[in-house]
Amino acid sequence: MSDYRLYLSLIPEALIASQLEPAAFGAYYAVGRHLHAHGEAMFFEVDPSFRDASFPFALADERCVTQPSGAPKSSVYLGIYNVLGRVPVSALKNLYLVTDDGRTLELARGDYTPDSDHPLHLYQEFCPVDPLVASRLEPHDFCNSITNPDVPVNVPRIAFAELKLGELSTNPATGNGDDLPYSAISHLRDVLLDFEHNTKDSKLVLKQVKQGVIYRMVERGFYVGDHEEFAYYPFPSPKELDSTYYDWWRSAQVTRFD
């Protein structure tokens, strides 16, 4: 067994070998020497037995060793492009969400059931693309749609979260959107209303989300999958966030969506 862990970072996309435990790696990755593009971090731990010839694991074996000072090796990058598409869902373990001040929340996989109460959904995609998308498809169907190899435009695998729409999910015409922190609410409302006259299942709201992770707007949780495999990572309940995960939640709510 190797003397390091494997992490698949979604922001930015990378496969990294590290001797740090997940919480320590999250703090290092968010506020350490190598700041990433968005401020927050999000990563999966990968099964340590995972191997793929397209990644230079020999580099990890060579460089991911304890330093002469006794300090662990923080990171050895094994890939920075098309990483998620090369790591199967079956190799992904827990998901870690890191605030921009380095607090880490661990999410385990959960049992998924479709949400039949909300006809419209809002998805923030993280990897390999990062737009904001409105859809009439529930998460599993949305994942299948965007990774379908039989359609002209697809991605091999996708990681995303569902965001809150409030009253706009069931009533985009007159539902109250004043408490939603998204920019251009009128544009979002127009996109949602267009589903009444358009046969498309999904529509682009923003080409790219530049503000990072909107943790405080996560609806049910996070998802990763392709047309064959699908995994759901439930987000803690409001009660759990205000008690068990209070320190992380207090930090996470600072993130703004301007």
Side-chain angles (χ1 to χ4, degrees):
M1 183 67 67
S2 58
D3 188 31
Y4 55 80
R5 294 172 180 259
L6 292 174
Y7 297 118
L8 195 168
S9 168
L10 300 176
I11 305 177
E13 185 178 15
L15 183 66
I16 304 169
S18 175
Q19 290 185 307
L20 299 176
E21 298 289 321
F25 178 78
Y28 158 78
Y29 205 49
V31 299
R33 296 185 301 275
H34 302 291
L35 293 175
H36 53 86
H38 289 283
E40 301 88 3
M42 182 184 303
F43 60 89
F44 293 100
E45 185 168 9
V46 178
D47 187 327
S49 66
F50 168 74
R51 291 294 183 272
D52 185 286
S54 64
F55 294 110
F57 282 100
L59 193 65
D61 296 333
E62 175 188 345
R63 299 183 181 179
C64 207
V65 295
T66 302
Q67 306 303 292
S69 64
K73 182 66 174 178
S74 299
S75 62
V76 175
Y77 281 74
L78 304 180
I80 58 173
Y81 175 74
N82 188 29
V83 172
L84 182 62
R86 289 183 280 163
V87 180
V89 175
S90 58
L92 301 178
K93 301 173 68 178
N94 287 354
L95 174 65
Y96 296 86
L97 312 178
V98 190
T99 61
D100 57 8
D101 63 351
R103 299 179 187 273
T104 301
L105 175 68
E106 180 181 7
L107 299 184
R109 290 194 188 193
D111 295 327
Y112 175 77
T113 55
D115 178 10
S116 58
D117 296 330
H118 299 88
L120 298 176
H121 307 268
L122 185 65
Y123 298 122
Q124 182 179 358
E125 299 178 23
F126 299 111
C127 185
V129 291
D130 53 359
L132 192 67
V133 179
S135 180
R136 66 171 96 240
L137 301 175
E138 55 85 23
H140 196 177
D141 288 343
F142 177 76
C143 177
N144 285 338
S145 173
I146 199 169
T147 63
N148 185 351
D150 295 327
V151 300
V153 179
N154 65 78
V155 295
R157 194 164 290 121
I158 188 74
F160 62 99
E162 181 171 8
L163 304 184
K164 296 176 182 178
L165 274 175
E167 294 180 10
L168 299 188
S169 176
T170 55
N171 185 10
T174 60
N176 182 14
D178 293 343
D179 58 342
L180 300 176
Y182 314 127
S183 60
I185 288 294
S186 60
H187 170 64
L188 174 59
R189 193 187 297 273
D190 289 342
V191 171
L192 296 173
L193 281 170
D194 194 50
F195 284 116
E196 297 179 4
H197 314 287
N198 198 308
T199 59
K200 287 186 177 181
D201 288 325
S202 301
K203 292 179 65 65
L204 189 68
V205 178
L206 290 176
K207 294 178 181 178
Q208 182 182 39
V209 177
K210 299 179 180 180
Q211 291 80 6
V213 189
I214 321 168
Y215 289 134
R216 61 193 170 97
M217 295 307 296
V218 173
E219 182 67 83
R220 296 181 64 197
F222 295 77
Y223 310 87
V224 61
D226 50 41
H227 62 289
E228 294 180 345
E229 296 183 284
F230 181 75
Y232 166 48
Y233 294 81
F235 200 57
S237 68
K239 182 178 180 180
E240 291 173 317
L241 290 171
D242 285 332
S243 56
T244 307
Y245 308 113
Y246 175 77
D247 289 341
W248 180 89
W249 183 230
R250 181 178 60 179
S251 175
Q253 292 183 83
V254 174
T255 304
R256 291 174 171 79
F257 193 69
D258 303 320

